[in-house]
Amino acid sequence: MILVGAGVICSGGLLLLLLYWLPEWGVKSTCTHTTLKDAHTVLLRTTVCAVTKCLDSPLSPSQVHYFVHHSARYYWNDVMQNFELYKGLEDVNVSCASLHSEHSSGLSKTLQDYRRLFFGENEIAVRVPSLLKLLVKEVLNPFYIFQLFSIILWSFEDYYYYASAIVLMSIISIATSLYTIKKQYVMLHDMVAAHSVVRVSVCRGNKDIEQAMSTELVPGDVIAIPANGMIMPCDAVLVYGTCIVNESMLTGESVPVTKTSLPSAGEEGARSYNIDEHKKHTLYCGTHVIQTRFYTGELVKAVVVRTGFSTEKGQLVRSILYPKPTDFKLYHDAYLFLLCLVGVAGIGFIYTIVLSIMNKVPAKTIIIESLDIVTITVPPALPAAMTAGIVYAQRRLKRVGIFCISPQRINMCGQLNVVCFDKTGTLTEDGLDLWAIHRAEDGSFCSPESEAAKVSLVNTTFVACMATCHSLTKIEGELSGDPLDLKMFSATGWILEEPTEEETALHNPIMPTVVRPPKHIAPERINQHIFRIGACEMGIVRQFPFSSALQRMSVVVRRLGAKHMDAFLKGAPEVVASLCRQHTIPQTFTETLEAYTRQGFRVIALAHRQLESKLSWHKVQSLSRDVIETNMEFLGLIIMQNKIKPETAGVLCELQRANIRTLMVTGDNMLTAISVARDCGMVRPCEKVIIADAGPPKDFQPASITWHYTENQAQASSSLDVDCLLFLSLYHFAVSGKAFAVIIEYFPQLVKKLVLRATVFARMAPDQKTQLVEVLQSMDYTVGMCGDGANDCGALKRAHSGISLSELEASVASPFTSSTSNISCVPNLIREGRAALITSFCVFKFMALYSIIQFISVILLYSVLSNLGDFQFLFIDLIIILTIAFTMSLNPAWKELVWRRPPSSLISGQLLCSVLTQILTCLVFQVLAFLLVRQQRLLMWSIFSLGVNVTDPQNHKNIRNYENTSLFYISTFQYIAVAIVFSKGKPFRQPSYKNCKAKTVLSAIGAALTALHPLLPPQIVCVPHDWRVTLVIIMIGNAAASFLLEVANDRWASSVLSWLFCRRHKAPRALYMQLALELQEGSEWPPQPSAVTYGVTTTGSCSYLIWQIFTRLS
C-alpha cells in the first residue's frame, strides 16, 4: 500500500488512473491473498471488486459475511465454504404442501424484521446518479484522457485552433453522452418506480390483517390480493383463490392468463416449489392482477417468494443495468488492430527522436514532436465513427417497424446462419379455425362433423367439455383468454356468465362461472335428447390451467341441481389417451390422429369423468390434478385448422437461398409440425424426415432411440423433377421435447450430430427451447430466434438475435421487437445487420488508413524539419475525416440476401491484404511526390517562391514549403480515394453513388480543395503550374491503383492466400462445419429405418444444502 501511494505521488496521479482502469491490478497491488472466509475484498472474474461486510444478527450471535455485486447479495456459507446467492423462499426446497401448511399463516413482526436484514427492502431501486458523478466517470474514460493529453500537447505546439476545435467536439460529445445516459437512467427509474411502492394487506397469523408498505415485505410474508386487483410488488405464489393476470410487461403477450392456487395434496403437493415449474400459480412482480375469484370469508392469499432484485422484474432490470458484454469477434479484433497502430506509433516515436537528435533539434521540440506522432497514429474519433453505422441502421429498422433495445446486436444479425421459428402465431396464423369435430362413442369414432353448435349436439358430453374446459374470463364485458379457447368456445355457441362481487358475497360457497346454451334453443327441443350429465347449465367449480410441461388442462364442473360433479380434460391427444380407460379409446385412434396431423391440422383430444358424489365444493379445492385427471372416458377429437401465413413460404425460401438454416421449434404435435414444415418449404417434398423417438431407461433396459422414417409421397411418385433427384440424399431429423430431454441426458455424444440435421422440434417446453439455442451456439452457430414472446422469452433472450412479434414498440422479452405480425421482419433485420457490419469494417479500415496516411505525411515532413500546420490538421480532421466517416455509413442495405455472409473478423487474410495494399499504395505515391518535389530545384521555382522553401533547424514549424503543400494535397486526395474504395456496395449495401449525402460531401470537399489557397494563406504556398499538373497526375494514378488493387483483392485475394499458405485443405474453424465433414465421410449416419440405438445408463448421486437462514428460523 505504501509503495502504491509513493507511485501515485511520483507519477502525478497517473498510477491511480491506471489502477482505476484496471481494478484487478489495484486489488493485487494493495491487498494480500487470504482465505475466502477471511477476505475483506474479493476479485471477481469480471474484474469487479466487491468489499465483504458483516451483518449483525439480533437472533443469532454469529456474524454473516456478504458482498453486493450488481444489486445482488452473496452470503457466506460455512458448509459450502463459498459465497452463495439466495433468491428467496424457494431456496429452502419447500414443498407445495408445506407452503399451505407451514407458510400460509404469515410471519411474526420479529421474524419479518430479521429476514429483512438479509433480503433488504423490497424495492427495485434504480439510483439515478448525479451529473457530477456521471461527468467524472465519463471524463475518466481512456478515450477522453487521451484527448486531454493530445490537447495539452497541441497547445505546446501552438496548434490553438485545432486544440480548441477538439475541445469543443469533446465537450459536445460528453454533453450528449451525459444527456443520453441520464435520460436512460431516468426512464428506467420512472418505469420501475411506477406502482413499485404500494400499500398491501399483510397477514399476521390466521386472522390478523394489517396494512403495510410493500417495501417491508420479505420472503415468507402472506399478502391478501384485493378483489379489484393490484400491481404486484413482489413474486408471490397463490395459496388461496384464483387471479386473472396481465403479464404483458414480462412476456409481451397481452392475453390475460389465469393463475390458480398451488396444489396442496397428492404427487404435485409433495413436489418442491419451483418458480418456473409452477408459474401457473405464481404472480410475478410488475404484472397486473385484473380481478380475483374467492370464497366468502376467505381472502385470496399469496405467499411472498421473492423480493427486490431477485424477482422476475428485478432480474429484468438488472439485465438492463448490467448487460452482459457483447461477445463479438469484431470488437475483440478492433482492440488488436489498435494495438498494431500503437506499435506503429512506437516506431515513429523512436524514428522522430533519432532523426531530431541527428539534426540537433532542441530537446523541447524533440519531446513534443515525438509525442505528437502518437496522437496522429491512434485515431481519436474511431469509437464515434464506428457507432454511426449502427445508429443509422437502428433508424432504418425503426422505419420498417423493428425496434431495438440492444443496438450492439445489430452487427450480430449480419452473421446469422441459423434462425429458429416458433410455429403457432409465427409461421402460421395466430387464430385457429374449427375444421371439424370427431366424437367417439362406445369405443369407436363417429363420422366427422363440421359444426359443434348444432341443436342435436347441445346435450352431448362432447360439447359440454368444449364449453367448460377453458380459461376464459370476462373483462369489461368482453370474453378474453387464449385464442384457441376463444375459438373453441365460440364454436359451441354457448354463453359464459361470471358472478358479480355482490352475487359472490350472498352465497356461502364460491359463486362459480356459469356456461349455458343460448336462449334461442327451445327447451322442448332440448328435452328430446337424453343428456348424460343432466341439465345443460353448468358451473365451473375448479380449474387446472394448461401446462406446457403436462400438455393438458382440466376443469371440475357441476350442473345445477346435480348431486355429483364432473371433470373435463383437454390436451395433446397422446397425453389425453394415456389418461383414459383403454376400452373407451377407439382402435383406430392412432391411424385417425396420424391422418389429421399429416395434413397439418392441429388436433386436441377431449375426455370426461364423473366424480364421486361425496366430493364437496371445499374438498374439490384441495384435490390435486393427478387425482382428477385419471381413469377418464375418451370423448373424441377437435380438429383445428392453423393456416400458414401468406408471407411464411416466401421468407423461408429467401433465407434458404441466402444459406441461412431454418428450424421449427414448437409445442405442437410432431406430425402436425412436420406437415407444416413441408407446406412452408422448410422441408422439401422429396427430402426424408427421420423421427428420433427416444425413451428413458425402463425395467432394467437402457435408454434407447428408435429411428422412424416418415412416409415420403414425393419419392413414391414416378415423375420426380431434377431438383428432387438432387435432394433425395438429404434428410432432416425431427425430435420431440421428450426425446430431446432423453438424448441430452443419456446420449450426449449424439446431441450435436442430431441437431446438425434436425429441422423440426415438436412438443418442446419453453426451457427446452432455450436449451436448444445453447446447443446450437456451442456448435459455433450464430443463432436467431423468432417467436411471439409468450412461451419463447428464454430462447429470445439467449439467442444472438431474438425477434419478438409484438405490437409493443419495445418488448423486454427480446433485443428486437417487430410490430408486423409475420416473419418478413427477419430478412429485413439480417439485411440491415449485414449492412451495418460491412459499414463497421469500412469505417474501421478508413480510420486506420487515415491514421497511417497522416503518419506517413508527418514522418516525411519531419525529415526536412517541417510539419503540417494548425489549419491543415483542422481541415483534414474536421472537414474531411469526420464528414466522410459519418456519411459513408449512410449507405442503406442491399435489397436482396445473398448466399455468402460478410466476414466476422478484422484479422482475416482478405481484410488485412486490403488494408496493407492500400497502405503500400499511399506510401509509394506520397514518397514519389516527396522525392519529386525535392528534386525540383529549377530557377523559376526559386524566383517564384523566394525564401519560401528554406528550412531552419531552429524553427521546428517550417510549414510554408513545397514539401508541405504537395504532401498535404496528395494526402487529402488519398483520404477521399480510400473512402470511395472502402465504401463497398453490392452485395451487402447499396452502391455509394446512391448515397446522396456522401456525394454532396465529397463534392464540397473537392470544391474546397480547389479554392484552398485563399482559405489557408499562412500554411499553403502557391506552386508552379507544371507542378500542379504533376500533382494531379500523381493523384489520378494513386486513385486508379487503389481502385484496381481493391478489385483484385476482392476477386483473388482469398484464393491466392489459401494457395500461398497451403490452407486450401485446412479444416474449417466452425464446429458445425467440421462435424458436417465428418458425417459426410462416414457411412453409418443417418441410422437405418427402424434401427434402435441404445445408451449406457450411468448412476450418480447428488447432494443439496438446506438454506441456513430458514433452518435457524424453523
Side-chain angles (χ1 to χ4, degrees), residues 388-404 410 809 816-820 824-825 828-829 831-832 835 889-893 990 994-995 997:
I390 298 175
V391 172
Y392 295 146
Q394 189 176 6
R395 290 180 181 176
R396 290 193 294 267
L397 286 173
K398 191 173 183 179
R399 284 199 291 266
V400 295
I402 301 175
F403 304 94
C404 175
I410 294 178
E809 283 197 6
F816 299 95
T817 304
S818 174
S819 59
T820 57
S824 60
C825 59
N828 290 333
L829 183 58
R831 277 194 293 268
E832 289 296 345
S889 303
L890 290 171
N891 290 31
Q990 295 283 359
K994 290 188 177 182
N995 187 345
K997 292 183 180 179

Short mmCIF file of all heavy atoms in Angstrom, two decimals, residues 388-404 410 809 816-820 824-825 828-829 831-832 835 889-893 990 994-995 997:
data_model
loop_
_atom_site.label_atom_id
_atom_site.label_comp_id
_atom_site.label_asym_id
_atom_site.label_seq_id
_atom_site.Cartn_x
_atom_site.Cartn_y
_atom_site.Cartn_z
N ALA A 388 -21.63 5.14 -35.66
CA ALA A 388 -22.55 5.81 -36.58
C ALA A 388 -23.33 4.81 -37.43
O ALA A 388 -24.55 4.94 -37.62
CB ALA A 388 -21.77 6.78 -37.47
N GLY A 389 -22.64 3.80 -37.96
CA GLY A 389 -23.32 2.82 -38.81
C GLY A 389 -24.43 2.10 -38.08
O GLY A 389 -25.50 1.82 -38.65
N ILE A 390 -24.19 1.77 -36.80
CA ILE A 390 -25.22 1.07 -36.01
C ILE A 390 -26.40 1.99 -35.75
O ILE A 390 -27.56 1.57 -35.82
CB ILE A 390 -24.61 0.58 -34.69
CG1 ILE A 390 -23.49 -0.43 -34.96
CG2 ILE A 390 -25.66 -0.03 -33.79
CD1 ILE A 390 -22.75 -0.88 -33.73
N VAL A 391 -26.12 3.27 -35.47
CA VAL A 391 -27.21 4.22 -35.21
C VAL A 391 -28.08 4.40 -36.44
O VAL A 391 -29.32 4.40 -36.37
CB VAL A 391 -26.63 5.58 -34.75
CG1 VAL A 391 -27.72 6.63 -34.67
CG2 VAL A 391 -25.92 5.43 -33.42
N TYR A 392 -27.44 4.53 -37.62
CA TYR A 392 -28.21 4.68 -38.85
C TYR A 392 -29.03 3.43 -39.14
O TYR A 392 -30.19 3.52 -39.57
CB TYR A 392 -27.27 4.98 -40.02
CG TYR A 392 -26.54 6.31 -39.92
CD1 TYR A 392 -25.25 6.45 -40.41
CD2 TYR A 392 -27.14 7.42 -39.33
CE1 TYR A 392 -24.57 7.65 -40.31
CE2 TYR A 392 -26.48 8.62 -39.22
CZ TYR A 392 -25.19 8.74 -39.72
OH TYR A 392 -24.53 9.93 -39.62
N ALA A 393 -28.45 2.26 -38.90
CA ALA A 393 -29.19 1.01 -39.12
C ALA A 393 -30.39 0.92 -38.18
O ALA A 393 -31.47 0.47 -38.58
CB ALA A 393 -28.26 -0.19 -38.92
N GLN A 394 -30.21 1.36 -36.94
CA GLN A 394 -31.31 1.34 -35.97
C GLN A 394 -32.45 2.25 -36.44
O GLN A 394 -33.63 1.89 -36.31
CB GLN A 394 -30.79 1.78 -34.61
CG GLN A 394 -31.81 1.60 -33.48
CD GLN A 394 -31.22 1.96 -32.13
OE1 GLN A 394 -30.10 2.45 -32.04
NE2 GLN A 394 -31.97 1.71 -31.07
N ARG A 395 -32.10 3.38 -37.01
CA ARG A 395 -33.14 4.29 -37.52
C ARG A 395 -33.88 3.66 -38.70
O ARG A 395 -35.11 3.77 -38.80
CB ARG A 395 -32.51 5.61 -37.94
CG ARG A 395 -32.00 6.46 -36.78
CD ARG A 395 -31.38 7.74 -37.28
NE ARG A 395 -30.86 8.56 -36.19
CZ ARG A 395 -30.21 9.70 -36.38
NH1 ARG A 395 -30.00 10.17 -37.60
NH2 ARG A 395 -29.77 10.39 -35.34
N ARG A 396 -33.15 3.00 -39.60
CA ARG A 396 -33.81 2.37 -40.75
C ARG A 396 -34.71 1.22 -40.29
O ARG A 396 -35.79 1.01 -40.85
CB ARG A 396 -32.76 1.87 -41.74
CG ARG A 396 -32.01 2.97 -42.48
CD ARG A 396 -31.23 2.44 -43.65
NE ARG A 396 -30.15 1.57 -43.24
CZ ARG A 396 -28.89 1.98 -43.04
NH1 ARG A 396 -28.58 3.26 -43.20
NH2 ARG A 396 -27.96 1.12 -42.68
N LEU A 397 -34.27 0.46 -39.28
CA LEU A 397 -35.10 -0.62 -38.75
C LEU A 397 -36.38 -0.06 -38.14
O LEU A 397 -37.46 -0.64 -38.29
CB LEU A 397 -34.32 -1.42 -37.71
CG LEU A 397 -33.23 -2.35 -38.23
CD1 LEU A 397 -32.44 -2.93 -37.06
CD2 LEU A 397 -33.82 -3.48 -39.06
N LYS A 398 -36.27 1.06 -37.47
CA LYS A 398 -37.45 1.66 -36.84
C LYS A 398 -38.46 2.08 -37.89
O LYS A 398 -39.68 1.99 -37.67
CB LYS A 398 -37.03 2.85 -35.98
CG LYS A 398 -38.14 3.38 -35.08
CD LYS A 398 -37.62 4.46 -34.13
CE LYS A 398 -38.73 4.93 -33.19
NZ LYS A 398 -38.23 5.95 -32.24
N ARG A 399 -37.97 2.52 -39.04
CA ARG A 399 -38.89 2.93 -40.11
C ARG A 399 -39.70 1.77 -40.66
O ARG A 399 -40.80 1.97 -41.17
CB ARG A 399 -38.11 3.61 -41.24
CG ARG A 399 -37.67 5.02 -40.91
CD ARG A 399 -37.32 5.80 -42.18
NE ARG A 399 -36.12 5.30 -42.82
CZ ARG A 399 -34.91 5.76 -42.61
NH1 ARG A 399 -34.73 6.77 -41.75
NH2 ARG A 399 -33.86 5.27 -43.22
N VAL A 400 -39.17 0.54 -40.57
CA VAL A 400 -39.91 -0.63 -41.06
C VAL A 400 -40.58 -1.39 -39.91
O VAL A 400 -41.00 -2.54 -40.09
CB VAL A 400 -38.99 -1.57 -41.87
CG1 VAL A 400 -38.51 -0.90 -43.13
CG2 VAL A 400 -37.83 -2.08 -41.03
N GLY A 401 -40.67 -0.75 -38.75
CA GLY A 401 -41.41 -1.34 -37.64
C GLY A 401 -40.64 -2.33 -36.80
O GLY A 401 -41.24 -3.16 -36.11
N ILE A 402 -39.30 -2.26 -36.81
CA ILE A 402 -38.48 -3.13 -35.97
C ILE A 402 -37.77 -2.26 -34.94
O ILE A 402 -37.01 -1.36 -35.30
CB ILE A 402 -37.45 -3.92 -36.81
CG1 ILE A 402 -38.16 -4.79 -37.86
CG2 ILE A 402 -36.59 -4.81 -35.91
CD1 ILE A 402 -37.22 -5.49 -38.81
N PHE A 403 -38.03 -2.54 -33.69
CA PHE A 403 -37.49 -1.72 -32.60
C PHE A 403 -36.42 -2.51 -31.85
O PHE A 403 -36.53 -3.72 -31.69
CB PHE A 403 -38.61 -1.29 -31.66
CG PHE A 403 -39.73 -0.57 -32.36
CD1 PHE A 403 -40.84 -1.27 -32.81
CD2 PHE A 403 -39.65 0.78 -32.60
CE1 PHE A 403 -41.87 -0.63 -33.48
CE2 PHE A 403 -40.68 1.45 -33.27
CZ PHE A 403 -41.79 0.74 -33.70
N CYS A 404 -35.41 -1.79 -31.41
CA CYS A 404 -34.23 -2.44 -30.83
C CYS A 404 -33.90 -1.83 -29.48
O CYS A 404 -33.88 -0.60 -29.33
CB CYS A 404 -33.04 -2.27 -31.79
SG CYS A 404 -31.48 -2.90 -31.16
N ILE A 410 -27.11 -5.46 -33.53
CA ILE A 410 -27.43 -5.31 -34.96
C ILE A 410 -26.31 -5.90 -35.80
O ILE A 410 -26.56 -6.57 -36.81
CB ILE A 410 -27.67 -3.82 -35.29
CG1 ILE A 410 -28.92 -3.33 -34.56
CG2 ILE A 410 -27.82 -3.62 -36.80
CD1 ILE A 410 -29.23 -1.86 -34.78
N GLU A 809 -43.74 -1.42 -28.90
CA GLU A 809 -42.55 -0.88 -29.54
C GLU A 809 -41.29 -1.49 -28.98
O GLU A 809 -40.30 -1.64 -29.66
CB GLU A 809 -42.51 0.64 -29.38
CG GLU A 809 -43.44 1.38 -30.31
CD GLU A 809 -43.08 2.84 -30.43
OE1 GLU A 809 -42.06 3.25 -29.86
OE2 GLU A 809 -43.84 3.57 -31.08
N PHE A 816 -34.94 -7.46 -30.09
CA PHE A 816 -35.65 -6.84 -31.21
C PHE A 816 -37.14 -7.16 -31.11
O PHE A 816 -37.53 -8.26 -30.74
CB PHE A 816 -35.11 -7.35 -32.55
CG PHE A 816 -33.65 -7.04 -32.78
CD1 PHE A 816 -32.68 -7.97 -32.47
CD2 PHE A 816 -33.25 -5.82 -33.29
CE1 PHE A 816 -31.34 -7.70 -32.66
CE2 PHE A 816 -31.92 -5.54 -33.47
CZ PHE A 816 -30.95 -6.48 -33.16
N THR A 817 -37.95 -6.18 -31.47
CA THR A 817 -39.40 -6.35 -31.48
C THR A 817 -39.93 -5.83 -32.80
O THR A 817 -39.61 -4.71 -33.20
CB THR A 817 -40.06 -5.58 -30.32
OG1 THR A 817 -39.49 -6.01 -29.09
CG2 THR A 817 -41.55 -5.83 -30.29
N SER A 818 -40.72 -6.66 -33.47
CA SER A 818 -41.30 -6.27 -34.76
C SER A 818 -42.79 -6.01 -34.58
O SER A 818 -43.51 -6.82 -34.00
CB SER A 818 -41.09 -7.36 -35.81
OG SER A 818 -41.78 -7.04 -37.00
N SER A 819 -43.23 -4.86 -35.08
CA SER A 819 -44.66 -4.53 -34.99
C SER A 819 -45.48 -5.26 -36.04
O SER A 819 -46.70 -5.29 -35.94
CB SER A 819 -44.85 -3.02 -35.12
OG SER A 819 -44.34 -2.55 -36.36
N THR A 820 -44.83 -5.83 -37.05
CA THR A 820 -45.54 -6.64 -38.03
C THR A 820 -45.71 -8.05 -37.48
O THR A 820 -44.83 -8.57 -36.81
CB THR A 820 -44.78 -6.71 -39.37
OG1 THR A 820 -43.46 -7.22 -39.13
CG2 THR A 820 -44.66 -5.33 -39.99
N SER A 824 -41.65 -11.57 -42.05
CA SER A 824 -40.96 -10.78 -43.05
C SER A 824 -39.94 -9.84 -42.43
O SER A 824 -39.07 -9.31 -43.12
CB SER A 824 -41.97 -9.97 -43.87
OG SER A 824 -42.70 -9.09 -43.02
N CYS A 825 -40.04 -9.63 -41.11
CA CYS A 825 -39.07 -8.78 -40.42
C CYS A 825 -37.69 -9.43 -40.35
O CYS A 825 -36.68 -8.72 -40.23
CB CYS A 825 -39.55 -8.47 -39.01
SG CYS A 825 -39.81 -9.94 -37.98
N ASN A 828 -35.38 -8.51 -43.27
CA ASN A 828 -35.06 -7.08 -43.12
C ASN A 828 -33.99 -6.86 -42.07
O ASN A 828 -33.04 -6.09 -42.26
CB ASN A 828 -36.32 -6.30 -42.74
CG ASN A 828 -37.32 -6.21 -43.87
OD1 ASN A 828 -36.94 -6.26 -45.04
ND2 ASN A 828 -38.59 -6.08 -43.54
N LEU A 829 -34.12 -7.56 -40.95
CA LEU A 829 -33.15 -7.41 -39.87
C LEU A 829 -31.78 -7.95 -40.29
O LEU A 829 -30.75 -7.34 -39.99
CB LEU A 829 -33.65 -8.16 -38.63
CG LEU A 829 -32.79 -8.07 -37.37
CD1 LEU A 829 -32.61 -6.62 -36.94
CD2 LEU A 829 -33.41 -8.87 -36.24
N ARG A 831 -30.61 -8.18 -43.37
CA ARG A 831 -30.04 -7.26 -44.36
C ARG A 831 -29.42 -6.04 -43.68
O ARG A 831 -28.29 -5.65 -44.02
CB ARG A 831 -31.14 -6.82 -45.34
CG ARG A 831 -31.39 -7.78 -46.48
CD ARG A 831 -32.21 -7.13 -47.57
NE ARG A 831 -33.57 -6.83 -47.11
CZ ARG A 831 -34.60 -7.65 -47.26
NH1 ARG A 831 -34.42 -8.82 -47.83
NH2 ARG A 831 -35.79 -7.32 -46.82
N GLU A 832 -30.15 -5.45 -42.74
CA GLU A 832 -29.60 -4.28 -42.06
C GLU A 832 -28.40 -4.67 -41.21
O GLU A 832 -27.46 -3.89 -41.07
CB GLU A 832 -30.68 -3.64 -41.18
CG GLU A 832 -31.77 -2.92 -41.96
CD GLU A 832 -31.25 -1.72 -42.74
OE1 GLU A 832 -30.13 -1.27 -42.47
OE2 GLU A 832 -31.97 -1.26 -43.64
N ALA A 835 -25.50 -4.96 -43.57
CA ALA A 835 -25.07 -3.63 -43.99
C ALA A 835 -24.32 -2.92 -42.87
O ALA A 835 -23.28 -2.28 -43.11
CB ALA A 835 -26.29 -2.81 -44.43
N SER A 889 -21.41 5.94 -43.78
CA SER A 889 -22.22 4.97 -43.06
C SER A 889 -23.69 5.03 -43.47
O SER A 889 -24.50 4.24 -42.97
CB SER A 889 -22.12 5.21 -41.55
OG SER A 889 -20.79 5.16 -41.11
N LEU A 890 -24.03 5.95 -44.36
CA LEU A 890 -25.44 6.16 -44.72
C LEU A 890 -25.92 5.23 -45.83
O LEU A 890 -27.11 5.26 -46.15
CB LEU A 890 -25.66 7.62 -45.14
CG LEU A 890 -25.55 8.66 -44.02
CD1 LEU A 890 -25.57 10.07 -44.60
CD2 LEU A 890 -26.67 8.50 -43.03
N ASN A 891 -25.03 4.44 -46.42
CA ASN A 891 -25.47 3.53 -47.48
C ASN A 891 -26.50 2.55 -46.92
O ASN A 891 -26.20 1.79 -46.00
CB ASN A 891 -24.29 2.74 -48.05
CG ASN A 891 -23.35 3.62 -48.85
OD1 ASN A 891 -23.21 4.80 -48.56
ND2 ASN A 891 -22.72 3.04 -49.86
N PRO A 892 -27.71 2.51 -47.49
CA PRO A 892 -28.71 1.54 -46.98
C PRO A 892 -28.37 0.11 -47.38
O PRO A 892 -27.46 -0.13 -48.18
CB PRO A 892 -30.01 2.01 -47.63
CG PRO A 892 -29.58 2.78 -48.84
CD PRO A 892 -28.25 3.38 -48.52
N ALA A 893 -29.10 -0.82 -46.81
CA ALA A 893 -28.85 -2.24 -47.07
C ALA A 893 -29.23 -2.61 -48.50
O ALA A 893 -30.13 -2.01 -49.10
CB ALA A 893 -29.62 -3.10 -46.06
N GLN A 990 -26.22 -0.79 -50.54
CA GLN A 990 -26.49 -0.09 -51.79
C GLN A 990 -25.21 0.60 -52.24
O GLN A 990 -24.39 1.01 -51.42
CB GLN A 990 -27.59 0.95 -51.58
CG GLN A 990 -28.95 0.38 -51.21
CD GLN A 990 -29.68 -0.20 -52.39
OE1 GLN A 990 -29.20 -0.15 -53.52
NE2 GLN A 990 -30.85 -0.76 -52.15
N LYS A 994 -25.59 5.95 -54.86
CA LYS A 994 -26.97 6.22 -54.42
C LYS A 994 -27.01 6.94 -53.06
O LYS A 994 -28.08 7.29 -52.60
CB LYS A 994 -27.75 4.90 -54.32
CG LYS A 994 -28.03 4.27 -55.67
CD LYS A 994 -28.98 3.08 -55.52
CE LYS A 994 -29.33 2.48 -56.88
NZ LYS A 994 -30.28 1.35 -56.74
N ASN A 995 -25.84 7.12 -52.47
CA ASN A 995 -25.75 7.83 -51.20
C ASN A 995 -25.59 9.31 -51.50
O ASN A 995 -24.48 9.82 -51.68
CB ASN A 995 -24.56 7.30 -50.40
CG ASN A 995 -24.50 7.86 -48.99
OD1 ASN A 995 -25.15 8.85 -48.67
ND2 ASN A 995 -23.70 7.23 -48.14
N LYS A 997 -26.01 12.04 -49.73
CA LYS A 997 -25.28 12.86 -48.75
C LYS A 997 -23.78 12.69 -48.90
O LYS A 997 -23.02 13.66 -48.80
CB LYS A 997 -25.73 12.51 -47.34
CG LYS A 997 -27.16 12.89 -47.04
CD LYS A 997 -27.54 12.58 -45.60
CE LYS A 997 -28.98 12.98 -45.32
NZ LYS A 997 -29.40 12.67 -43.94
#
